[in-house]
């Protein structure tokens, strides 16, 4: 075991009811403040791996889970209290998160997570306004309906709602999917601003190899329900023929 790891998956296998293993015997160590990008063909297990880190997988009926998920060396499956803590310490932004907005104002949507944490109104207000600042939302936009915003602005609201819980690990499943180039660049800058300000660990799925090469120091390639490669972009890109065979 890597004693410096903030998050560890140890020999983890996940299988959904009636299907083969979405991940098979995966071991992974992620250190604090790392920015780790995940790439791989569709169905290779990227989303399953991300959701496993705060135990979202076991909310799916019929999901079979083997192995250990550790935060700071503690197995988050060993105690319900640790499981609950993990879901606040590890923030997960799903793909197309704007479809999960539901409150009547942007402010209330961003405040939903901090309220569930039982924080004081003053602390909730601080977090909402700080998270909005990280993603480039204005004070005036906090008072409008999220459904009146553009697609890119809705994406910002959804990300701010997770950031407002101030997770130590921020996990994003294709956060720039469907955005134009300028919108994609702004979202990536917002995420990097949060990482630097909070010394957060970032794990992100991306299909843009340009973004991967430019932004990350560590790249995970998943294929066939396993981690096929793990290294710097330079190290991984030396295996160009194998990456092309995977469709990357």
């Amino acid at each position: 075991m890597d004693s410096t790891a903030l998050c560890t998956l140890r020999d983890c296998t996940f299988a959904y009811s009636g299907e083969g293993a979405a991940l098979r015997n995966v071991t992974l160590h992620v250190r604090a403040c790392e920015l780790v990008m995940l790439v791989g063909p569709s169905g290779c297990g990227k989303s399953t791996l991300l959701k496993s880190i705060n135990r979202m997988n076991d909310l799916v009926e019929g999901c079979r889970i083997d192995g250990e998920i550790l935060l700071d060396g503690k197995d988050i499956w060993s105690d319900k209290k640790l499981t609950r803590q993990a879901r606040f310490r590890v923030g997960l932004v799903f793909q197309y998160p704007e479809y999960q907005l539901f409150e009547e104002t942007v402010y209330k949507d961003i405040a939903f997570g901090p309220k569930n944490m039982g924080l004081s109104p003053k602390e909730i207000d601080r977090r909402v306004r700080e998270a909005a600042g990280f993603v480039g939302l204005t004070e005036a936009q906090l008072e409008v309906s999220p459904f009146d915003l553009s697609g890119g602005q809705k994406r910002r609201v959804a990300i701010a709602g997770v950031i407002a819980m101030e997770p130590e690990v921020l996990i994003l499943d294709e956060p720039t999917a469907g955005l134009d180039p300028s919108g994609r660049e702004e979202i990536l800058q917002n995420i990097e601003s949060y990482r630097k300000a909070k010394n957060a660990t970032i794990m992100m799925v991306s299909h843009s190899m340009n973004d991967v090469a430019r932004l990350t120091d560590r790249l995970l390639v998943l294929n066939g329900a396993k981690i096929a490669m793990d290294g710097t972009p330079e190290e991984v890109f030396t295996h160009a023929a194998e990456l092309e065979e995977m469709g990357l």
Side-chain angles (χ1 to χ4, degrees):
M1 175 179 172
D2 185 341
S3 61
T4 66
L6 171 64
C7 175
T8 295
L9 281 71
R10 183 188 292 161
D11 199 24
C12 287
T13 295
F14 300 87
Y16 298 106
S17 180
E19 302 177 17
L23 282 180
R24 187 180 299 110
N25 302 120
V26 168
T27 293
L28 172 66
H29 305 286
V30 179
R31 295 182 178 88
C33 305
E34 272 196 301
L35 195 164
V36 182
M37 284 209 176
L38 288 73
V39 299
S42 297
C44 68
K46 300 186 296 296
S47 294
T48 297
L49 189 152
L50 294 182
K51 288 186 286 187
S52 71
I53 296 175
N54 68 350
R55 202 176 163 181
M56 291 297 292
N57 300 74
D58 66 338
L59 300 180
V60 178
E61 186 175 353
C63 180
R64 181 178 62 80
I65 305 171
D66 297 310
E68 292 180 306
I69 307 291
L70 309 178
L71 278 176
D72 286 332
K74 297 178 181 178
D75 185 351
I76 67 171
W77 291 347
S78 63
D79 183 276
K80 288 184 178 180
K81 184 178 180 181
L82 290 176
T83 303
R84 177 176 168 78
Q85 290 174 350
R87 288 188 176 141
F88 291 133
R89 294 179 65 191
V90 180
L92 177 59
V93 180
F94 294 98
Q95 190 176 18
Y96 297 109
E98 57 270 26
Y99 295 125
Q100 298 162 41
L101 302 176
F102 61 92
E103 289 283 10
E104 59 187 24
T105 67
V106 169
Y107 186 101
K108 288 182 178 179
D109 230 308
I110 299 174
F112 182 79
K115 280 185 177 179
N116 280 346
M117 296 173 72
L119 302 175
S120 69
K122 183 178 179 180
E123 178 64 10
I124 290 170
D125 185 71
R126 180 194 71 77
R127 290 189 180 210
V128 168
R129 296 184 188 282
E130 187 172 279
F134 276 125
V135 301
L137 293 169
T138 67
E139 288 281 327
Q141 287 172 326
L142 290 176
E143 302 309 319
V144 305
S145 167
F147 305 106
D148 291 337
L149 301 177
S150 69
Q153 290 169 335
K154 289 178 182 177
R155 186 79 53 90
R156 294 169 191 264
V157 174
I159 293 173
V162 176
I163 285 177
M165 294 188 287
E166 298 188 351
E168 298 165 55
V169 183
L170 179 61
I171 295 176
L172 306 107
D173 193 350
E174 296 190 62
T176 62
L179 298 180
D180 61 30
S182 63
R184 183 172 68 243
E185 184 61 29
E186 288 172 357
I187 290 292
L188 292 172
Q189 289 177 1
N190 298 153
I191 293 166
E192 181 62 7
S193 294
Y194 178 77
R195 182 171 80 104
K196 290 180 177 179
K198 300 296 184 181
N199 292 320
T201 298
I202 306 291
M203 297 185 70
M204 186 187 325
V205 170
S206 177
H207 282 296
S208 170
M209 300 307 275
N210 286 332
D211 290 344
V212 165
R214 184 166 52 91
L215 295 172
T216 192
D217 295 321
R218 184 178 179 190
L219 179 58
L220 298 180
V221 181
L222 275 71
N223 192 39
K226 292 188 174 185
I227 296 175
M229 303 179 196
D230 181 355
T232 66
E234 292 80 6
E235 291 168 342
V236 170
F237 290 160
T238 61
H239 302 278
E242 295 172 60
L243 293 172
E244 286 183 9
E245 286 180 9
M246 299 177 198
L248 300 175

